[in-house]
Amino acid sequence: MRLARTLALIVLAVLLVPYVVTPFYRVGHPISTLMAWRWLQGAAVVRPWIDLGEMSQALPHAVVAAEDAHFCKHHGIDWGAVREVVNDAEDGEVTRGGSTITQQVAKNLFLWQGRSFVRKALEFPLALWIDAVLGKQRVLEVYLNIAELGPSGQFGAEAGSQYAFGHSAASLSGREAALLASILPNPHQRSARSPGPGVRRLAGTYVARAQAISLAQCWAGNR
């Protein structure tokens, strides 16, 4: 009985760690669990940090257009997208990705890769907490600095831009930003450096969608 109680307390403490740590990520340059895992394995990790205000604003607009069109409207979870995923599953269809940018930050900072109901169960409340504690601007800044954006250990906008185009994320064009957004979430099978027809087609779509997004209004509404 005492052992079971001790184990339960240990599990509870582990589950609470992300909630305690999250407020400290209002500043600094956090790393993802995948980056940490690669370091432990001795694999290459390239991640020069770039502040949101320093990068070309075409990139956050393109990434929101590609990954989370309702980013400015939800509080960490896009419940409409969740319902669509559930409906697809009930109809026997291949489920689409319903994760918000905030959920991906929760997963990348504190959880593990791959699909599982356990991870999703942990991810949902954590995404709500991250949205409330960090706010939209910081969530997007962290995401753009921890997302995997290259095939050989390139993480974040700066490393992804340098690898794909040979210059800083500060000078990305709208087309280049859309190409980077198009390789999410799998830069091992998609390339912004040598884009195939599918990636080029997606990039064209995201260029158009990005023009309809106003992140300035998003920041104003998040105060």
Side-chain angles (χ1 to χ4, degrees):
M1 192 69 172
R2 183 176 300 172
L3 178 59
R5 189 181 299 115
T6 301
L7 290 174
L9 288 174
I10 292 172
V11 170
L12 180 60
V14 170
L15 293 176
L16 288 177
V17 165
Y19 295 89
V20 175
V21 171
T22 294
F24 294 98
Y25 285 162
R26 291 190 183 113
V27 295
H29 301 165
I31 65 170
S32 69
T33 54
L34 182 56
M35 292 166 66
W37 180 242
R38 286 182 64 89
W39 269 321
L40 288 172
Q41 291 182 309
V45 174
V46 183
R47 199 287 300 272
W49 182 277
I50 180 169
D51 292 341
L52 187 65
E54 294 178 358
M55 67 181 69
S56 165
Q57 291 307 290
L59 184 59
H61 282 80
V63 168
V64 168
E67 294 286 285
D68 189 357
H70 296 143
F71 177 71
C72 294
K73 299 178 181 178
H74 62 65
H75 297 289
I77 306 292
D78 185 346
W79 295 110
V82 172
R83 283 192 293 272
E84 290 179 2
V85 170
V86 171
N87 290 337
D88 285 351
E90 289 177 346
D91 293 339
E93 300 177 9
V94 176
T95 57
R96 72 196 82 182
S99 292
T100 64
I101 286 173
T102 319
Q103 286 176 260
Q104 293 180 62
V105 168
K107 176 190 72 176
N108 289 340
L109 286 181
F110 299 115
L111 302 173
W112 59 91
Q113 306 299 310
R115 292 187 175 187
S116 76
F117 289 113
V118 173
R119 199 205 74 201
K120 280 294 181 184
L122 297 173
E123 184 182 287
F124 271 46
L126 187 52
L128 296 171
W129 175 246
I130 288 172
D131 184 88
V133 172
L134 299 186
K136 297 294 185 185
Q137 265 183 292
R138 181 60 175 171
V139 166
L140 189 55
E141 180 174 66
V142 170
Y143 179 68
L144 289 171
N145 278 283
I146 62 175
E148 193 175 13
L149 281 170
S152 51
Q154 291 84 11
F155 289 85
E158 184 66 12
S161 179
Q162 291 285 359
Y163 174 79
F165 310 116
H167 60 73
S168 171
S171 56
L172 285 168
S173 68
R175 178 68 176 177
E176 290 170 337
L179 285 169
L180 279 181
S182 299
I183 69 172
L184 293 166
N186 195 337
H188 297 276
Q189 294 183 356
R190 301 176 184 177
S191 174
R193 189 176 191 174
S194 303
V199 170
R200 292 197 298 269
R201 186 168 55 252
L202 280 175
T205 300
Y206 297 152
V207 167
R209 288 183 185 175
Q211 294 173 355
I213 293 171
S214 174
L215 291 179
Q217 291 183 0
C218 183
W219 310 153
N222 197 230
R223 290 173 185 166

